[in-house]
Amino acid sequence: MVTAAVVNVAQFPALELAMSDWYEAVRIKPGHELPDLIDEHFDSTQARFELYLQIRDLAPNATVTVPAGSEIIGEHVLGLAAAVEVVRSDAPSTIDAAVAAALEPAVVATGFDRDVGDYVIALPTDGPVDELVLVQGPDRAWVVEAGLLDDARAGA
Amino acid sequence: MTVVAVEVLALAVLAATGWLLVPPDRGEPWRLVVALPLGIAAHAFVELVLLVTRLPIAHPWVAAVVALVLAAVVARLRDRQVEGAPTAARRWWSRPVAVAVTVAAVAVLVTAAVPVVNVTSDTFRYLTISRLLVVDADTARMSAFLLLSRSLVVGAVHGLALPDLGYLRAIGPLVAASTLGALWLLVREGLDRLDPRTVRWVAAAAVVLMATNHRFLFHAFYVNGHLLFAAWLLLLVAVAWRRVIAGDLRTAAGDSVGADGSGMVWSGDALVAGLLAVGLTILRPEGALVAALALTPVVLEPIVPRRWRQLVLVVFGVGNLGWHLGVLAPLWDTPPSSLIGMAVLGAATVLAAGLLPALDRWRIDRGRLLIALHLLVWGAVGIMAVRDASILVGTVKSIGRNVLDQGGWGISLLVLAGLLAIALAVGRVVGERALLFPLLTFAPVAVLLNHARGGPGRVGPGDSLNRMLVHLLPLAVLVLALVADGRRRRVDGTSVAG
């Protein structure tokens, strides 16, 4: 155990250095300036959830059309429509924290699109998507149309 | 200043709740070490119950006060049952108390003064749940998907902070300190047959091994639930392990306590185990599965009083069902497979409590049964691999890369795994089934989790499975330290040299 502890200590600076890129990508520093960010996230979450409820009530079999980069693409839409993020895989360092988090609970598929180029699609485990239209952004591509979960299941 | 005062009050209420729930005969150091993690578990349990009622009263502070009052009632009832035993309120000040209060004060002051907290995008999802609980004290306006993916505990406990700050800064470091303290005490307890000086050195080495791990330190300051999960898993396995050993010793001594628990003084340990199991269930999506693995060895052990096992199973099962059927009810229109699986597990847990008498009559070696169960899980992996080999291959690749160089572990896990393999090849641990089953079964379960998620996971420190590896770290270090004993006592009470 002493040997293992010595190994831990010896490699610590190297690990901290190696992790710096990841820290830059996902860690907000310093950790104490959070209230505004929490408010922002809370408001965004609530807004998306309200939209989710409206879509669910008004259009159970509709197709959601989402402007490129829209905030609608978030986890509150996971079960209803397509929780889809499309990210250029040739620039993984540009994946921001929100996208990285969205990828976490998802099925990840890679592919090539004529307009988008190489891409990574993250789909929710239980959210089949029957239609996707992709739009390319400066460092990210977004789905602008996706079939609703109910619609997809009805067709299955 | 107000922010700090509220944080101190929150920590004090949680710790007092946990402290009251641990039976005094466990000793003051143990009660203090587990006070905070257990208090968080009790708080989460009450929060769960309040949410199931659908009444808009599930504010985190309401849950905290209710949990504290209930813990005081439980302590009072428990202490009355044990004539002559030390009561919960007998000693309010002692050296261990002074140490615990000092550690807590230092943690609060340091985290208030120095920006040492790690925050990622995941953190904001948890803290959004906090805010929703504070604003509405209900889940009616909360996405069930958010709760399904992020669970309840982290959001609930940080809801105790003032909205001006939004989270409790010191809770991560204090949970880390609790984990190290629990490891220290468990190693000393497990090696009590060795000379005290040797035991102290082994325990110190175990604590240093944990405390120097890069990922452990990261999670100690990360606003997330991984280290709490690790602490709860360690404590749950420890309670089960103690029960197996106690049953072993009673059997060896010809104790008259019946296998059905008749004549047994009711022990608060069962409630503690149940709360920890429910806590794991509502801390992470896979929590119920991990809790079930932790409890399987002790549940199958006939030498452990049956009522104890039944109480644990009922609390665990009902809590599981309350979460997956009650709070997550909106998802049952089109339920995700994970939701169905966890609800079935909850129902099976309650059913198992009723079937224990029949199970106890089953004359089969429990060690072989656990091996068979372990192989069964690997069999499930095989079946899933036949259905979709790419996920298995991808999972092995991603885990391999994460453990080797991309997950932030360095070579720590390789060294630890190598030492464990060598140690277990040459030595044994008393009551090892309770320790090894959850540890060794994690590997196939991890693969199954990725199959359930439908993907192989990612390469990098942020991968969910990579982060979950820290859940096993304290348990693995505990096993490694306990092998220093080098002896094995069989379940029938016979000690053998190892």
Side-chain angles (χ1 to χ4, degrees), chain A residues 1-10, chain B residues 205 209 415 419:
Chain A
M1 283 193 291
V2 173
T3 306
V6 170
V7 168
N8 281 350
V9 173
Chain B
L209 176 55
V415 172
L419 289 173

mmCIF file with all atom_site columns, all heavy atoms in Angstrom, chain A residues 1-10, chain B residues 205 209 415 419:
data_model
loop_
_atom_site.group_PDB
_atom_site.id
_atom_site.type_symbol
_atom_site.label_atom_id
_atom_site.label_alt_id
_atom_site.label_comp_id
_atom_site.label_asym_id
_atom_site.label_entity_id
_atom_site.label_seq_id
_atom_site.pdbx_PDB_ins_code
_atom_site.Cartn_x
_atom_site.Cartn_y
_atom_site.Cartn_z
_atom_site.occupancy
_atom_site.B_iso_or_equiv
_atom_site.pdbx_formal_charge
_atom_site.auth_seq_id
_atom_site.auth_comp_id
_atom_site.auth_asym_id
_atom_site.auth_atom_id
_atom_site.pdbx_PDB_model_num
ATOM 1  N N   . MET A 1 1   ? 0.827  -1.210 0.000   1.00 0.00 ? 1   MET A N   1
ATOM 2  C CA  . MET A 1 1   ? 0.000  0.000  0.000   1.00 0.00 ? 1   MET A CA  1
ATOM 3  C C   . MET A 1 1   ? 0.858  1.254  0.000   1.00 0.00 ? 1   MET A C   1
ATOM 4  O O   . MET A 1 1   ? 0.488  2.257  -0.596  1.00 0.00 ? 1   MET A O   1
ATOM 5  C CB  . MET A 1 1   ? -0.924 -0.002 1.220   1.00 0.00 ? 1   MET A CB  1
ATOM 6  C CG  . MET A 1 1   ? -2.125 -0.928 1.061   1.00 0.00 ? 1   MET A CG  1
ATOM 7  S SD  . MET A 1 1   ? -3.372 -0.673 2.298   1.00 0.00 ? 1   MET A SD  1
ATOM 8  C CE  . MET A 1 1   ? -2.541 -1.273 3.745   1.00 0.00 ? 1   MET A CE  1
ATOM 9  N N   . VAL A 1 2   ? 1.981  1.167  0.690   1.00 0.00 ? 2   VAL A N   1
ATOM 10 C CA  . VAL A 1 2   ? 2.880  2.319  0.705   1.00 0.00 ? 2   VAL A CA  1
ATOM 11 C C   . VAL A 1 2   ? 3.394  2.582  -0.705  1.00 0.00 ? 2   VAL A C   1
ATOM 12 O O   . VAL A 1 2   ? 3.455  3.732  -1.168  1.00 0.00 ? 2   VAL A O   1
ATOM 13 C CB  . VAL A 1 2   ? 4.053  2.070  1.677   1.00 0.00 ? 2   VAL A CB  1
ATOM 14 C CG1 . VAL A 1 2   ? 5.081  3.184  1.565   1.00 0.00 ? 2   VAL A CG1 1
ATOM 15 C CG2 . VAL A 1 2   ? 3.535  1.967  3.108   1.00 0.00 ? 2   VAL A CG2 1
ATOM 16 N N   . THR A 1 3   ? 3.727  1.489  -1.416  1.00 0.00 ? 3   THR A N   1
ATOM 17 C CA  . THR A 1 3   ? 4.195  1.636  -2.794  1.00 0.00 ? 3   THR A CA  1
ATOM 18 C C   . THR A 1 3   ? 3.129  2.313  -3.652  1.00 0.00 ? 3   THR A C   1
ATOM 19 O O   . THR A 1 3   ? 3.426  3.227  -4.435  1.00 0.00 ? 3   THR A O   1
ATOM 20 C CB  . THR A 1 3   ? 4.525  0.248  -3.389  1.00 0.00 ? 3   THR A CB  1
ATOM 21 O OG1 . THR A 1 3   ? 5.445  -0.403 -2.521  1.00 0.00 ? 3   THR A OG1 1
ATOM 22 C CG2 . THR A 1 3   ? 5.121  0.377  -4.770  1.00 0.00 ? 3   THR A CG2 1
ATOM 23 N N   . ALA A 1 4   ? 1.887  1.853  -3.490  1.00 0.00 ? 4   ALA A N   1
ATOM 24 C CA  . ALA A 1 4   ? 0.797  2.425  -4.275  1.00 0.00 ? 4   ALA A CA  1
ATOM 25 C C   . ALA A 1 4   ? 0.605  3.903  -3.949  1.00 0.00 ? 4   ALA A C   1
ATOM 26 O O   . ALA A 1 4   ? 0.342  4.721  -4.837  1.00 0.00 ? 4   ALA A O   1
ATOM 27 C CB  . ALA A 1 4   ? -0.490 1.652  -4.002  1.00 0.00 ? 4   ALA A CB  1
ATOM 28 N N   . ALA A 1 5   ? 0.756  4.249  -2.680  1.00 0.00 ? 5   ALA A N   1
ATOM 29 C CA  . ALA A 1 5   ? 0.621  5.653  -2.287  1.00 0.00 ? 5   ALA A CA  1
ATOM 30 C C   . ALA A 1 5   ? 1.745  6.488  -2.887  1.00 0.00 ? 5   ALA A C   1
ATOM 31 O O   . ALA A 1 5   ? 1.523  7.623  -3.338  1.00 0.00 ? 5   ALA A O   1
ATOM 32 C CB  . ALA A 1 5   ? 0.617  5.765  -0.761  1.00 0.00 ? 5   ALA A CB  1
ATOM 33 N N   . VAL A 1 6   ? 2.944  5.930  -2.896  1.00 0.00 ? 6   VAL A N   1
ATOM 34 C CA  . VAL A 1 6   ? 4.077  6.646  -3.494  1.00 0.00 ? 6   VAL A CA  1
ATOM 35 C C   . VAL A 1 6   ? 3.829  6.875  -4.982  1.00 0.00 ? 6   VAL A C   1
ATOM 36 O O   . VAL A 1 6   ? 4.098  7.957  -5.530  1.00 0.00 ? 6   VAL A O   1
ATOM 37 C CB  . VAL A 1 6   ? 5.388  5.858  -3.272  1.00 0.00 ? 6   VAL A CB  1
ATOM 38 C CG1 . VAL A 1 6   ? 6.526  6.450  -4.102  1.00 0.00 ? 6   VAL A CG1 1
ATOM 39 C CG2 . VAL A 1 6   ? 5.758  5.865  -1.793  1.00 0.00 ? 6   VAL A CG2 1
ATOM 40 N N   . VAL A 1 7   ? 3.293  5.857  -5.648  1.00 0.00 ? 7   VAL A N   1
ATOM 41 C CA  . VAL A 1 7   ? 2.939  6.000  -7.071  1.00 0.00 ? 7   VAL A CA  1
ATOM 42 C C   . VAL A 1 7   ? 1.930  7.133  -7.243  1.00 0.00 ? 7   VAL A C   1
ATOM 43 O O   . VAL A 1 7   ? 2.049  7.973  -8.151  1.00 0.00 ? 7   VAL A O   1
ATOM 44 C CB  . VAL A 1 7   ? 2.367  4.674  -7.616  1.00 0.00 ? 7   VAL A CB  1
ATOM 45 C CG1 . VAL A 1 7   ? 1.723  4.884  -8.994  1.00 0.00 ? 7   VAL A CG1 1
ATOM 46 C CG2 . VAL A 1 7   ? 3.459  3.629  -7.704  1.00 0.00 ? 7   VAL A CG2 1
ATOM 47 N N   . ASN A 1 8   ? 0.922  7.174  -6.371  1.00 0.00 ? 8   ASN A N   1
ATOM 48 C CA  . ASN A 1 8   ? -0.088 8.236  -6.440  1.00 0.00 ? 8   ASN A CA  1
ATOM 49 C C   . ASN A 1 8   ? 0.544  9.618  -6.366  1.00 0.00 ? 8   ASN A C   1
ATOM 50 O O   . ASN A 1 8   ? 0.237  10.518 -7.149  1.00 0.00 ? 8   ASN A O   1
ATOM 51 C CB  . ASN A 1 8   ? -1.081 8.089  -5.281  1.00 0.00 ? 8   ASN A CB  1
ATOM 52 C CG  . ASN A 1 8   ? -2.116 7.010  -5.525  1.00 0.00 ? 8   ASN A CG  1
ATOM 53 O OD1 . ASN A 1 8   ? -2.212 6.480  -6.627  1.00 0.00 ? 8   ASN A OD1 1
ATOM 54 N ND2 . ASN A 1 8   ? -2.876 6.678  -4.503  1.00 0.00 ? 8   ASN A ND2 1
ATOM 55 N N   . VAL A 1 9   ? 1.430  9.770  -5.390  1.00 0.00 ? 9   VAL A N   1
ATOM 56 C CA  . VAL A 1 9   ? 2.058  11.079 -5.179  1.00 0.00 ? 9   VAL A CA  1
ATOM 57 C C   . VAL A 1 9   ? 2.964  11.432 -6.358  1.00 0.00 ? 9   VAL A C   1
ATOM 58 O O   . VAL A 1 9   ? 2.948  12.564 -6.858  1.00 0.00 ? 9   VAL A O   1
ATOM 59 C CB  . VAL A 1 9   ? 2.861  11.086 -3.864  1.00 0.00 ? 9   VAL A CB  1
ATOM 60 C CG1 . VAL A 1 9   ? 3.649  12.378 -3.719  1.00 0.00 ? 9   VAL A CG1 1
ATOM 61 C CG2 . VAL A 1 9   ? 1.925  10.897 -2.675  1.00 0.00 ? 9   VAL A CG2 1
ATOM 62 N N   . ALA A 1 10  ? 3.718  10.440 -6.825  1.00 0.00 ? 10  ALA A N   1
ATOM 63 C CA  . ALA A 1 10  ? 4.685  10.697 -7.895  1.00 0.00 ? 10  ALA A CA  1
ATOM 64 C C   . ALA A 1 10  ? 3.999  11.129 -9.184  1.00 0.00 ? 10  ALA A C   1
ATOM 65 O O   . ALA A 1 10  ? 4.498  11.995 -9.908  1.00 0.00 ? 10  ALA A O   1
ATOM 66 C CB  . ALA A 1 10  ? 5.534  9.447  -8.127  1.00 0.00 ? 10  ALA A CB  1
ATOM 67 N N   . ALA B 2 205 ? -1.610 3.522  6.291   1.00 0.00 ? 205 ALA B N   1
ATOM 68 C CA  . ALA B 2 205 ? -1.230 3.329  4.888   1.00 0.00 ? 205 ALA B CA  1
ATOM 69 C C   . ALA B 2 205 ? -2.464 3.326  3.990   1.00 0.00 ? 205 ALA B C   1
ATOM 70 O O   . ALA B 2 205 ? -2.453 3.895  2.886   1.00 0.00 ? 205 ALA B O   1
ATOM 71 C CB  . ALA B 2 205 ? -0.454 2.022  4.736   1.00 0.00 ? 205 ALA B CB  1
ATOM 72 N N   . LEU B 2 209 ? -3.139 5.978  1.074   1.00 0.00 ? 209 LEU B N   1
ATOM 73 C CA  . LEU B 2 209 ? -3.356 5.487  -0.287  1.00 0.00 ? 209 LEU B CA  1
ATOM 74 C C   . LEU B 2 209 ? -4.608 6.123  -0.901  1.00 0.00 ? 209 LEU B C   1
ATOM 75 O O   . LEU B 2 209 ? -4.620 6.532  -2.064  1.00 0.00 ? 209 LEU B O   1
ATOM 76 C CB  . LEU B 2 209 ? -3.488 3.956  -0.269  1.00 0.00 ? 209 LEU B CB  1
ATOM 77 C CG  . LEU B 2 209 ? -3.824 3.268  -1.589  1.00 0.00 ? 209 LEU B CG  1
ATOM 78 C CD1 . LEU B 2 209 ? -2.830 3.644  -2.673  1.00 0.00 ? 209 LEU B CD1 1
ATOM 79 C CD2 . LEU B 2 209 ? -3.836 1.755  -1.405  1.00 0.00 ? 209 LEU B CD2 1
ATOM 80 N N   . VAL B 2 415 ? -2.084 -0.402 -10.458 1.00 0.00 ? 415 VAL B N   1
ATOM 81 C CA  . VAL B 2 415 ? -1.296 -0.800 -9.290  1.00 0.00 ? 415 VAL B CA  1
ATOM 82 C C   . VAL B 2 415 ? -2.205 -1.400 -8.227  1.00 0.00 ? 415 VAL B C   1
ATOM 83 O O   . VAL B 2 415 ? -1.912 -2.462 -7.652  1.00 0.00 ? 415 VAL B O   1
ATOM 84 C CB  . VAL B 2 415 ? -0.521 0.420  -8.725  1.00 0.00 ? 415 VAL B CB  1
ATOM 85 C CG1 . VAL B 2 415 ? 0.139  0.076  -7.394  1.00 0.00 ? 415 VAL B CG1 1
ATOM 86 C CG2 . VAL B 2 415 ? 0.525  0.884  -9.728  1.00 0.00 ? 415 VAL B CG2 1
ATOM 87 N N   . LEU B 2 419 ? -2.092 -5.222 -6.876  1.00 0.00 ? 419 LEU B N   1
ATOM 88 C CA  . LEU B 2 419 ? -1.866 -5.538 -5.464  1.00 0.00 ? 419 LEU B CA  1
ATOM 89 C C   . LEU B 2 419 ? -3.010 -6.375 -4.892  1.00 0.00 ? 419 LEU B C   1
ATOM 90 O O   . LEU B 2 419 ? -2.784 -7.319 -4.124  1.00 0.00 ? 419 LEU B O   1
ATOM 91 C CB  . LEU B 2 419 ? -1.722 -4.246 -4.661  1.00 0.00 ? 419 LEU B CB  1
ATOM 92 C CG  . LEU B 2 419 ? -0.430 -3.448 -4.881  1.00 0.00 ? 419 LEU B CG  1
ATOM 93 C CD1 . LEU B 2 419 ? -0.499 -2.114 -4.157  1.00 0.00 ? 419 LEU B CD1 1
ATOM 94 C CD2 . LEU B 2 419 ? 0.775  -4.253 -4.385  1.00 0.00 ? 419 LEU B CD2 1
#
